[in-house]
Amino acid sequence: MQMNESAENYLETILILSKRLPVVRSVDIAAEMNFKKSSISVAMKHLRENGYIKVSEAGFITLTKRGLSIAEMIYERHTFLTGWLTALGVDHETAAKDACRMEHVISPDSFAAIKHFVTKSGPEH
């Protein structure tokens, strides 16, 4: 399944917020991403119509199985690539920004190969 980078970022943000907050609302996503609430509303409508999120009558946003799967994949890539770049000596802020760009374009095969190489040649081996 192919998604655009923006949609993946929204799903990842919803996942991150759901770990920190009891409920996730559009206003929380807007604050986290530093976007206008109107932009978030349009994006949430698109994600809801495509089956990635559910929105309750109270406006609480939750990921569907489909949305959660994508959010977890992007979040794993982000955290792994950030940690790897940081371990290579890149400052954390730059590493996080670079990982955010890389996480959307790297193929599953390339990511798996990098992850395998890094974990295989880690400090314990």
Side-chain angles (χ1 to χ4, degrees), residues 9 13 19 28-29 32-33 53 60 80 86 107 124:
N9 280 335
T13 299
K19 294 174 184 281
D28 303 316
I29 299 166
E32 182 76 12
M33 298 181 85
I53 63 168
F60 302 151
F80 183 85
T86 303
S107 72
E124 68 279 354

Side-chain angles (χ1 to χ4, degrees), residues 9-117:
N9 280 335
Y10 284 118
L11 295 175
E12 181 184 24
T13 299
I14 294 166
L15 176 66
I16 291 166
L17 289 172
S18 71
K19 294 174 184 281
R20 290 197 324 237
L21 303 172
V23 294
V24 178
R25 301 163 301 150
S26 290
V27 67
D28 303 316
I29 299 166
E32 182 76 12
M33 298 181 85
N34 201 25
F35 289 169
K36 292 181 180 175
K37 190 172 180 311
S38 58
S39 299
I40 302 299
S41 295
V42 170
M44 293 306 106
K45 179 180 182 219
H46 173 75
L47 292 174
R48 182 179 45 78
E49 289 174 347
N50 287 286
Y52 297 109
I53 63 168
K54 290 183 181 175
V55 183
S56 74
E57 287 186 22
F60 302 151
I61 299 166
T62 55
L63 295 165
T64 63
K65 271 188 183 181
R66 186 175 174 193
L68 180 61
S69 174
I70 294 167
E72 287 176 335
M73 175 197 63
I74 295 298
Y75 184 69
E76 177 194 19
R77 289 177 177 193
H78 183 88
T79 55
F80 183 85
L81 292 168
T82 299
W84 179 50
L85 292 169
T86 303
L88 292 173
V90 178
D91 72 88
H92 183 76
E93 186 177 334
T94 301
K97 285 179 183 176
D98 288 346
C100 191
R101 289 192 296 271
M102 294 167 65
E103 70 197 25
H104 302 287
V105 296
I106 192 167
S107 72
D109 290 343
S110 292
F111 179 71
I114 290 170
K115 187 176 175 185
H116 175 75
F117 177 80

